[in-house]
Amino acid sequence: MRAVAFWGLCAIVFFVTWTGSYHLLPEGLLRGTSLAYFTPVETGDAERAFLRIFAWNLFIAGGITVIANMFRSVNTPLGYLVVLVSTVNGALVWGTGSLALGTGRIEPSLATVLGRSGTFELSAFVLIAVATREVMIWHQRSPPRWREDFERVRSPRDWTVSRRELVVLVAGIALLAVANFREASQIVAVTGY
């Protein structure tokens, strides 16, 4: 239920930001500002491009989202904030046409959402963030959040993973792999290398 609710929030934020940036911001405004811009894809075939993109995204998902989930502010795991910021950034990059390949603005439409891998990657990040929600170590117990210090309340030895969380985590990683293979195939088709 948490995954569906958080995915719904991210989908709404993505669509509103994408539409707004498409209509209101200059083209190319954010070129080079996304971590995706630095994804190592210079390779001659889709399989090697996939491995590089997938490794990069696993680093982002595991190294940033999961580590951020070790911190919780009141009831919000900070990995959720990382995914929400990534969602806004991805929508801004699409709307302003600031992708690394410089393909121009991406017009908001359902066909675009289903035809590109970015929204599937973000969906995978949602699943990974929700599945690792309980890896908390430090906690802020009460607002205001800018005044309250984080207090260590757990240790990694206290972590447990339920069967449901494990299924959601595996589904997130599998979705990420499929999205990244699709992205690698599209990159190789567009660039020809």
Side-chain angles (χ1 to χ4, degrees):
M1 189 64 187
R2 281 192 307 256
V4 171
F6 187 47
W7 182 88
L9 172 67
C10 288
I12 290 167
V13 167
F14 185 88
F15 186 74
V16 168
T17 306
W18 181 21
T19 302
S21 64
Y22 181 82
H23 293 291
L24 301 173
L25 297 177
E27 186 170 340
L29 177 69
L30 300 173
R31 188 160 287 126
T33 62
S34 170
L35 285 176
Y37 186 80
F38 301 101
T39 304
V41 295
E42 303 81 18
T43 184
D45 60 69
E47 289 79 18
R48 281 190 291 185
F50 158 71
L51 290 174
R52 290 179 178 195
I53 293 169
F54 185 57
W56 179 256
N57 280 315
L58 277 179
F59 168 74
I60 300 298
I64 297 175
T65 305
V66 176
I67 289 172
N69 268 346
M70 293 180 187
F71 295 86
R72 181 170 298 170
S73 182
V74 187
N75 288 321
T76 307
L78 294 186
Y80 284 31
L81 182 60
V82 169
V83 172
L84 201 53
V85 168
S86 297
T87 298
V88 169
N89 184 294
L92 288 169
V93 166
W94 275 26
T96 60
S98 299
L99 293 167
L101 293 178
T103 55
R105 291 180 186 273
I106 300 173
E107 185 175 359
S109 72
L110 182 58
T112 302
V113 168
L114 297 176
R116 301 189 67 101
S117 62
T119 53
F120 295 100
E121 287 177 355
L122 290 171
S123 295
F125 288 161
V126 166
L127 293 176
I128 291 167
V130 169
T132 60
R133 181 180 199 278
E134 294 302 323
V135 300
M136 176 184 67
I137 296 176
W138 293 279
H139 189 225
Q140 273 183 328
R141 295 196 186 277
S142 62
R145 294 175 179 178
W146 59 89
R147 288 189 188 165
E148 181 79 21
D149 289 333
F150 282 94
E151 173 186 341
R152 186 172 180 139
V153 295
R154 292 169 73 184
S155 163
R157 290 187 305 270
D158 300 328
W159 293 347
T160 59
V161 178
S162 73
R163 188 177 310 224
R164 249 186 259 160
E165 291 166 335
L166 187 59
V167 167
V168 171
L169 180 62
V170 169
I173 293 170
L175 180 59
L176 186 62
V178 169
N180 291 165
F181 186 78
R182 183 179 190 188
E183 180 179 3
S185 300
Q186 290 171 337
I187 288 171
V188 168
V190 167
T191 61
Y193 65 85

